[in-house]
Every structure is written in C-alpha cells, then in structure tokens.
Amino acid sequence: MIPLFVETDIHDDVDDVGALAVAHVLDLAGRIRLQGINVNTASVWGPRLVRAINRYYGSDVPVGAQIPASGTTGPEEFVRGTSRLFGTDDAQPDDEAIALFRRVLAGAPEGGITVVSLGFFGNLTGLLASGPDEVSPLTGAELARRAVARTVVMGGCFGGGPADAAALPEYNFAEDPERTRVFLRDWPGPIDFVGWETGYDVVTGRGLLAAHGRESPVSTAYQLHSGFGNGRPSWDLIAVLLAADPGWEAFEWSGPGEAGIDGLAVTSWVPGVHGRHRHAIRRAAPEEVAAELDTLLLRRAGASLPV
C-alpha cells in the first residue's frame, strides 16, 4: 500500500475529477492510502468540489487550499456548477495548502510518501520555501527530502505524440514558467514525469452517467465539462495509476536525465546517467489503457466491483 499525497489544479479540465475518482477507488481497494489533497489554484470552488468528491466516496481525507481564494468563474465553470450541486455552504478546506503539506510530511516515516502533482507548482515551491514551525523544526525542503520517496508529475511533453506537440509549451509547465524552473531545479529526490503525449488520445469516462447515475459529482462534472458520453483524455488518471503502480505494464520508463523548459516554456530533456528524472513511455494501445482506467473510473461509490 502506497501512502499518496495528491496535488491538483481541478480548474479548467475534468481529468482532475477523474484522477481523484481513480485515487479514491484505489484507496478503497487498499492499493494506496490517501494522505491529503491540495488544490494548487486559488479558486474558491476547487476545494469545495474536492470535498464533494471525498464525501461521495465516503472519505475524510484532509483538503488544503491556497488562501486567500478567489471566486472567479472563468474556465472552471463546470467546477462551480458541480460543487454547488453537491457541495455545502460550509465545505471549507481543512487547512492552508503549505500547512497541510508540512503536517502530512512531518507525520510520515522516512521515505513514507509518494506525491503526485496534477497541475501547477505553486504549492510545491511554496513548501520548499517554508521554514520551521510548530509542526516541525525542519524546513520544507528538508521535510520533502526526508519524507518523499517518489514524486510523479503530470507535465511536460517528451515526444511520441503528434509531430508538432513537443515543440509547443505544455500547459502545466507553461502556466508559471519561473515556478516550474524552481521546482525542476530544486525539488529533492527523483521525479517521474507523465508527459502530455501519454494521454491525449486515451479517452475515458464515456460510460460515467450509466455507471454512476446522476447522483454523482464525478458523472456530473464530466457531463458539464464535456457533454453526454464524450469522455475526456486521461493525463491525470494515468499519473495517479502510475503513482500507485510504477510497474504498470502499459508503460515503460525512459533512462535517467534532466527535464527543463526553455525561454518559451517548451520542455527540454537531456539524458544523463546521473539525472534525477525519467519520463513515462506508453507501449499499449490507447484503447487498452482507457479500458484499464475505466474499470476504476466507472466504479461508483459503494459498488463491489473487484479492483
């Protein structure tokens, strides 16, 4: 069982919702143990939707948020809609994001946590910049070095998809290039990257409404974001499953190297035997990967499907 801490932007794409659903199903199956979920965008609606998803799966895993939050309703309109349908007025986060991160890491044994990052890097770099407090005499960088065994990041583009994709900025890396650079440079320990190319053609969630019904924040979020039966590419879901199962046979890992970004926030990759990074390479057909993910995503709360 892998203790897992999730960082999610849960902002303008519904695959974050799918990733949290997969994480909860893996938790219920005893394959992981969720330690905390941090939202790395400032919208007030993201943490509320996370809490609604947690309640749907019967989980009380703590939720951290960026404070102060904003009430913006730009690309995250589906998040606001779903959280208003399934949330409550008092569905506040349990803690500020960096404080929750520090508390979870301080309470973990050495090398006891796997972190999966789905989105932006403000919380991760904020942790690195944090100093000692009443929770721990260690800095955030020292806590991460002591407690985090493995970090899985959905971000970057490492080739293997459409011919022009690797020449374009990848969304998570490009949202705040300076924070991305700080994270890539300073995060202690190895990082496994799940690039854009791994999931752009792996469509999951088409059967969510039939599987979950209308009383599910997961099926509702997909419906509001993508419409009935359309599904969505599965970048974040792949990252969660690779965090839980680094030996998933649908993928293999590159050799070591160093990931970075250039002045236009386009991903760079420099192989090297002493590199701290590697990236996932998909070997199975997209339909095979989607089918495996859907066995988890389509499991509604309370169902007794085997995992």
Side-chain angles (χ1 to χ4, degrees):
M1 182 191 68
I2 294 175
L4 189 69
F5 190 94
V6 179
E7 277 278 331
T8 174
D9 55 6
I10 201 157
H11 176 63
D12 64 349
D13 205 328
V14 78
D15 63 326
D16 292 87
V17 174
L20 292 178
V22 167
H24 278 294
V25 171
L26 292 172
D27 184 274
L28 290 167
R31 292 172 63 179
I32 66 168
R33 184 61 63 220
L34 279 169
Q35 303 296 300
I37 301 172
N38 261 353
V39 178
N40 52 51
T41 56
S43 170
V44 69
W45 303 106
R48 294 183 183 182
L49 180 52
V50 174
R51 289 290 292 270
I53 294 167
N54 290 354
R55 283 196 302 274
Y56 176 70
Y57 288 100
S59 173
D60 61 356
V61 60
V63 180
Q66 294 185 356
I67 299 173
S70 73
T72 57
T73 58
E76 72 277 10
E77 185 67 27
F78 83 96
V79 178
R80 183 180 73 153
T82 309
S83 63
R84 293 187 71 177
L85 284 168
F86 293 93
T88 62
D89 290 340
D90 61 351
Q92 301 302 313
D94 298 295
D95 215 335
E96 187 275 331
I98 307 306
L100 176 60
F101 222 156
R102 288 185 59 84
R103 188 168 74 247
V104 169
L105 295 185
E110 184 173 347
I113 297 287
T114 293
V115 173
V116 60
S117 172
L118 316 172
F120 310 141
F121 301 105
N123 291 344
L124 294 163
T125 57
L127 172 70
L128 294 181
S130 68
D133 58 11
E134 67 279 2
V135 170
S136 173
L138 301 180
T139 67
E142 290 167 338
L143 281 172
R145 186 175 296 108
R146 185 193 68 82
V148 178
R150 180 169 173 250
T151 304
V152 179
V153 170
M154 192 282 117
C157 188
F158 299 89
D164 60 345
L168 299 173
E170 187 278 322
Y171 182 68
N172 289 346
F173 274 21
E175 188 271 343
D176 188 332
E178 186 52 38
R179 282 180 172 164
T180 301
R181 291 187 183 94
V182 171
F183 170 74
L184 295 175
R185 183 191 68 211
D186 294 345
W187 186 256
I191 306 174
D192 289 341
F193 291 95
V194 177
W196 179 88
E197 71 280 357
T198 64
Y200 75 97
D201 56 351
V202 177
V203 178
T204 53
R206 290 189 175 108
L208 266 169
L209 189 60
H212 283 233
R214 297 183 182 276
E215 301 304 314
S216 161
V218 180
S219 60
T220 297
Y222 271 74
Q223 176 186 333
L224 291 178
H225 182 278
S226 301
F228 287 104
N230 292 325
R232 185 68 184 148
S234 306
W235 303 282
D236 290 351
L237 290 74
I238 291 170
V240 166
L241 191 49
L242 280 172
D245 182 8
W248 184 9
E249 292 182 354
F251 292 82
E252 64 182 46
W253 295 99
S254 72
E258 294 284 332
I261 56 173
D262 66 14
L264 298 176
V266 173
T267 307
S268 62
W269 175 254
V270 180
V273 294
H274 300 298
R276 301 169 297 128
H277 304 158
R278 61 181 184 170
H279 61 88
I281 301 167
R282 196 182 77 212
R283 294 307 187 196
E287 296 79 12
E288 294 177 38
V289 178
E292 189 161 356
L293 291 169
D294 267 336
T295 63
L296 303 171
L297 177 61
L298 300 186
R299 179 180 177 179
R300 70 184 184 278
S304 58
L305 299 177
V307 176

